[in-house]
Amino acid sequence: MKHKILLVDDEETMLKYLSRFLIKRGFDITTAISGEDALEKIKKQDFITVLLDVLMPGMDGIDTLREIKKIKPMTEVIMLTGHASVKVAIEGMNLGAFDYLMKPFNRDELVAKLRMACEKRLFNEKGINAVNIPEMMPEKPA
């Protein structure tokens, strides 16, 4: 099953790069060039996770996150910023962001966080609290 991800960034080159990269890793990608554009798409479609740039003209990432959580509260959001500060990261997490990444980011870390956010969303839809799921322990040899 391909997870539906919305990429939101005002830099078209970043959107193109991330789209190609994540499609090759099995994600179903839609892009938005602004916070306003993202909200219109979120009203029409259900995305499991949103990868959201913090610093954008017009509606910034924090304001967009607030609105996403009003419209579709179960949608997981990962904040992406090249201008991260502890304050912005904490504010985003307090508003319900799943996690954040700073540009430049490690591609493997991005994929891992997206997969974890998607799994959390799917668990939540089934009424399973992902925090309480025990980690799989390797079996001890007999």
Side-chain angles (χ1 to χ4, degrees):
M1 172 173 104
K2 288 188 176 189
H3 298 301
K4 283 187 76 137
I5 309 291
L6 178 63
L7 305 179
V8 187
D9 198 310
D10 61 310
E11 296 177 38
E12 288 188 52
T13 54
M14 177 63 86
L15 285 177
K16 288 178 185 176
Y17 165 76
L18 283 174
S19 292
R20 284 193 303 263
F21 173 74
L22 293 171
I23 287 168
K24 287 179 183 176
R25 272 125 191 106
F27 293 98
D28 179 2
I29 301 298
T30 300
T31 62
I33 197 76
S34 68
E36 295 86 356
D37 185 24
L39 295 175
E40 287 304 313
K41 290 180 178 179
I42 286 169
K43 289 175 186 174
K44 296 175 184 173
Q45 297 181 56
D46 189 30
F47 297 97
I48 291 180
T49 302
V50 175
L51 184 61
L52 177 62
D53 189 28
V54 170
L55 189 60
M56 297 183 292
M59 180 181 272
D60 69 13
I62 295 294
D63 289 336
T64 304
L65 171 63
R66 279 190 188 100
E67 293 303 312
I68 289 170
K69 289 298 183 175
K70 286 179 190 173
I71 298 166
K72 301 259 177 105
M74 289 185 69
T75 301
E76 297 298 340
V77 178
I78 298 173
M79 308 297 288
L80 184 61
T81 183
H83 307 279
S85 70
V86 174
K87 181 181 175 186
V88 172
I90 291 171
E91 185 177 3
M93 301 296 276
N94 287 337
L95 292 170
F98 174 79
D99 208 340
Y100 71 96
L101 280 168
M102 292 193 305
K103 296 177 188 175
F105 52 85
N106 176 291
R107 295 183 316 173
D108 292 334
E109 184 180 9
L110 169 65
V111 170
K113 286 187 183 205
L114 280 172
R115 288 191 174 136
M116 286 188 292
C118 291
E119 287 175 12
K120 181 181 178 204
R121 164 72 187 273
L122 295 173
F123 281 135
N124 287 339
E125 285 178 355
K126 294 177 181 177
I128 301 170
N129 185 346
V131 174
N132 294 328
I133 296 174
E135 289 187 37
M136 297 298 289
M137 299 297 292
E139 290 184 28
K140 294 181 182 178

